Amino acid sequence: MVLRIEAKWEIPYVHSAGEHATKFFEALKEKKILGVKCPKCQRVLVPPRAFCERCYVDTDEWVEVKDEGVIETVTINYARFTGLPDPPYAVGIIKLDGADTGMLAYLGGVDLTDWKKAHEKLKVGTRVKAVWKDRPEGRITDILYFKPVEE
Amino acid sequence: MRRAAVIGVGQTKFRTRRDDKTHPELTREAVSRALEHAGITMDDVDAFVFGTMDPFDGINCPDRWSSTAAGFGKPFMKISTGGTTGLTTGIAAYQHVASGLFDVVVAVCTQRVGENVDAQPVLNTAVDPIYERHSGVGAISVAAIQATVHMQKYGTTEEQMAWVSVKDHENALKNPYAHIKKKIGVEDVLSSPVVSSPLKLYECCPRSDGSVAVIFASEEKAEQIRDDPAWILAESSISDSYFVGDRPDLAVWDSLSIAGRRLYRLAGIDDPKKDIDVAELYSPFTIQEILELEALGFAEKGEGAKLAEEGVTFVDGDMPTNPSGGVLCTNPIGATGLVRLGEASLQVMGEASNQVDGAEVALAHAWGGTLQFHALMLVSSHKKLRR
């Protein structure tokens, strides 16, 4: 038997969101989701970024998108992983009304016990709406999850 | 660019843990085997390119430690592009030779994912801290969201995906270096626990420790060193958007299609199904082999799921895919892409452990990042594509 040496990393960081993204987080405090419009390809990018990576031009035009949209895809996690939420939980990509890109988000409001039944309720194309924290703090976690809307 | 070839391949056995050896000792095991396979010595090597994905190994810049086994006193550089690392390292080493700057260059990748008690915290640090780190997306869920779309759009079934796993597990039984060795059937896959729906445990790769080395040489050197080198016909790579939500359609891997078309144009390939005999694809999850086969032109869009089910991708089928057992059975993440190239090279040398009869042209692929990067290399037993 060889010697085994235990080790652990705990390294604190303080990250900057940058001037551009800070504007997005400020808007979240008012339960508003902002995107940016690329002046060249005209795509509305959410989450917003300071330049369009495809056109390589600055994106200075801010536009508000809806906190409602459609599910582009979904998965339900049943395994426990360090640093991730307690299972089961659903994650998907939501294309918000007014946006040209999808946004990673939690999905909720549906019983996740049986994945096949849950996928039926969270089908690609299903309309969903954001469920917000009561008192948003200007963080990405202000949007708790998206849930299907009754049509 | 001048012509170059693979002249030697060396792998360690891949296991959850390789407690018997330290980081540089594993590197040395792979490098020594590759040198032996090529029939050359360390003195014949002009430079080393090292690949690893920090910080799975729990050592920041493990290249410092492992470089002691990777050409002391020689030119050295380190490559890291997430899961693509292994093949990007191969491409870098190839370019060292093809550029004319070096004659013999070793690409070596070592990774110890198994020493990482839980790889997820490391993967969490690979996501930007501004928008996406709190999204709860792990490595498996990224593949799972591809599967959800593919199933809904094309009617791909759980059984069809399970066949990919059955095929890879069957292949791994013949590979002495493979990590997971277990004969399984479709029912075993379907009844294994759902990890990230719709993907089940047996549709997901393990975490492996190990190392792999591939040696490149110029045309002149390659011909002096061995009769049957694996000639590099072409390579290509591509980067895509950082945000997963930017991909217009997760049911198709368009960035891989573009990289594939670039590769085929460089190599003069019109019909990959006809011109390529075997593929080693980076498919840590069943659905990804299906997406890759479609993106690379081995199947029409939405038809890739039929290939394993119908036996086409088995070793005796028309398009053998991952005869080594693939990433589904062995995944030392930052080394995995170079394993693909090593196995592809052994196929065209006629020396693979699960040899495809008469393989002359083999494709190696890797992807990395959150579905962000792709790398491709095409090797052949001939200097040019023969039809």
Side-chain angles (χ1 to χ4, degrees), chain B residues 30 36 45 150 159 188 192 206 212 215 222 244 270 297 321 345 358 367:
Chain B
E36 193 184 331
V45 179
H150 205 273
E159 288 77 8
D188 298 313
S192 64
V212 56
I215 308 178
V244 197
D270 301 322
T321 305
S345 301
W367 75 262

Short mmCIF file of all heavy atoms in Angstrom, two decimals, chain B residues 30 36 45 150 159 188 192 206 212 215 222 244 270 297 321 345 358 367:
data_model
loop_
_atom_site.label_atom_id
_atom_site.label_comp_id
_atom_site.label_asym_id
_atom_site.label_seq_id
_atom_site.Cartn_x
_atom_site.Cartn_y
_atom_site.Cartn_z
N ALA B 30 4.47 6.64 -20.33
CA ALA B 30 3.92 6.82 -21.68
C ALA B 30 5.03 7.19 -22.68
O ALA B 30 5.10 6.64 -23.78
CB ALA B 30 2.84 7.89 -21.66
N GLU B 36 10.01 3.52 -27.33
CA GLU B 36 10.26 2.11 -27.64
C GLU B 36 9.49 1.69 -28.90
O GLU B 36 10.02 1.01 -29.77
CB GLU B 36 9.80 1.27 -26.44
CG GLU B 36 10.27 -0.16 -26.48
CD GLU B 36 9.69 -0.96 -25.31
OE1 GLU B 36 9.43 -0.36 -24.24
OE2 GLU B 36 9.47 -2.17 -25.48
N VAL B 45 15.00 13.05 -29.84
CA VAL B 45 13.85 13.96 -29.77
C VAL B 45 14.33 15.41 -29.69
O VAL B 45 15.22 15.74 -28.92
CB VAL B 45 12.98 13.63 -28.53
CG1 VAL B 45 11.79 14.59 -28.44
CG2 VAL B 45 12.49 12.18 -28.58
N HIS B 150 -32.15 16.39 -29.40
CA HIS B 150 -32.03 15.41 -30.48
C HIS B 150 -33.19 14.42 -30.45
O HIS B 150 -33.75 14.05 -31.49
CB HIS B 150 -30.70 14.66 -30.36
CG HIS B 150 -30.20 14.10 -31.65
ND1 HIS B 150 -30.57 12.87 -32.11
CD2 HIS B 150 -29.38 14.62 -32.60
CE1 HIS B 150 -29.99 12.64 -33.28
NE2 HIS B 150 -29.26 13.69 -33.61
N GLU B 159 -33.06 3.52 -26.44
CA GLU B 159 -32.45 2.25 -26.87
C GLU B 159 -31.33 2.52 -27.87
O GLU B 159 -30.25 1.92 -27.79
CB GLU B 159 -33.49 1.33 -27.52
CG GLU B 159 -34.49 0.71 -26.56
CD GLU B 159 -35.59 1.68 -26.11
OE1 GLU B 159 -35.68 2.80 -26.65
OE2 GLU B 159 -36.35 1.33 -25.19
N ASP B 188 -28.99 -3.36 -19.54
CA ASP B 188 -28.14 -2.86 -18.44
C ASP B 188 -28.04 -1.34 -18.50
O ASP B 188 -28.06 -0.66 -17.48
CB ASP B 188 -26.73 -3.45 -18.53
CG ASP B 188 -26.73 -4.96 -18.39
OD1 ASP B 188 -27.39 -5.44 -17.47
OD2 ASP B 188 -26.08 -5.64 -19.22
N SER B 192 -29.75 1.36 -15.75
CA SER B 192 -28.81 2.07 -14.87
C SER B 192 -29.43 3.40 -14.46
O SER B 192 -30.28 3.94 -15.17
CB SER B 192 -27.44 2.24 -15.55
OG SER B 192 -27.51 3.05 -16.69
N PRO B 206 -16.12 7.37 -17.35
CA PRO B 206 -15.54 7.37 -16.01
C PRO B 206 -14.53 8.51 -15.88
O PRO B 206 -14.30 9.25 -16.83
CB PRO B 206 -14.81 6.03 -15.98
CG PRO B 206 -14.35 5.84 -17.39
CD PRO B 206 -15.41 6.46 -18.27
N VAL B 212 -0.47 9.51 -22.07
CA VAL B 212 -0.31 9.03 -23.44
C VAL B 212 0.73 9.91 -24.16
O VAL B 212 0.79 11.11 -23.91
CB VAL B 212 -1.66 9.05 -24.20
CG1 VAL B 212 -2.28 10.44 -24.19
CG2 VAL B 212 -1.52 8.57 -25.65
N ILE B 215 4.57 10.41 -30.95
CA ILE B 215 5.78 11.03 -31.50
C ILE B 215 5.59 11.35 -32.98
O ILE B 215 5.15 10.50 -33.76
CB ILE B 215 7.01 10.10 -31.33
CG1 ILE B 215 7.12 9.67 -29.86
CG2 ILE B 215 8.28 10.81 -31.77
CD1 ILE B 215 8.28 8.71 -29.57
N ALA B 222 10.83 10.12 -40.58
CA ALA B 222 9.82 9.06 -40.43
C ALA B 222 10.18 7.86 -41.29
O ALA B 222 10.07 6.71 -40.86
CB ALA B 222 8.44 9.60 -40.80
N VAL B 244 -23.39 28.49 -23.85
CA VAL B 244 -24.10 27.37 -24.48
C VAL B 244 -25.38 27.86 -25.16
O VAL B 244 -25.78 27.36 -26.20
CB VAL B 244 -24.51 26.30 -23.44
CG1 VAL B 244 -24.85 25.00 -24.15
CG2 VAL B 244 -23.44 26.08 -22.42
N ASP B 270 -13.99 13.82 -50.47
CA ASP B 270 -15.31 14.20 -50.98
C ASP B 270 -16.40 13.51 -50.17
O ASP B 270 -17.44 14.09 -49.89
CB ASP B 270 -15.47 13.79 -52.45
CG ASP B 270 -14.42 14.42 -53.32
OD1 ASP B 270 -14.08 15.60 -53.05
OD2 ASP B 270 -13.91 13.75 -54.24
N GLY B 297 -20.41 14.00 -41.25
CA GLY B 297 -20.84 13.50 -42.55
C GLY B 297 -20.92 11.99 -42.66
O GLY B 297 -21.02 11.44 -43.76
N THR B 321 -16.46 2.90 -35.25
CA THR B 321 -16.27 4.13 -34.49
C THR B 321 -15.89 3.78 -33.05
O THR B 321 -16.57 3.00 -32.40
CB THR B 321 -17.57 4.96 -34.51
OG1 THR B 321 -17.93 5.18 -35.87
CG2 THR B 321 -17.39 6.30 -33.82
N SER B 345 -3.79 6.34 -35.11
CA SER B 345 -2.50 6.06 -35.75
C SER B 345 -2.21 4.56 -35.75
O SER B 345 -1.76 3.99 -36.75
CB SER B 345 -1.37 6.80 -35.02
OG SER B 345 -1.61 8.19 -35.03
N GLY B 358 -7.90 -3.80 -42.65
CA GLY B 358 -7.53 -2.99 -43.80
C GLY B 358 -7.66 -1.49 -43.63
O GLY B 358 -7.77 -0.76 -44.62
N TRP B 367 -13.42 17.26 -28.46
CA TRP B 367 -14.11 18.54 -28.17
C TRP B 367 -13.79 18.95 -26.74
O TRP B 367 -13.41 18.13 -25.92
CB TRP B 367 -15.61 18.46 -28.43
CG TRP B 367 -16.45 17.71 -27.43
CD1 TRP B 367 -16.89 16.43 -27.55
CD2 TRP B 367 -16.97 18.18 -26.18
NE1 TRP B 367 -17.64 16.08 -26.44
CE2 TRP B 367 -17.70 17.13 -25.59
CE3 TRP B 367 -16.88 19.40 -25.49
CZ2 TRP B 367 -18.33 17.25 -24.34
CZ3 TRP B 367 -17.51 19.53 -24.25
CH2 TRP B 367 -18.23 18.46 -23.70
#
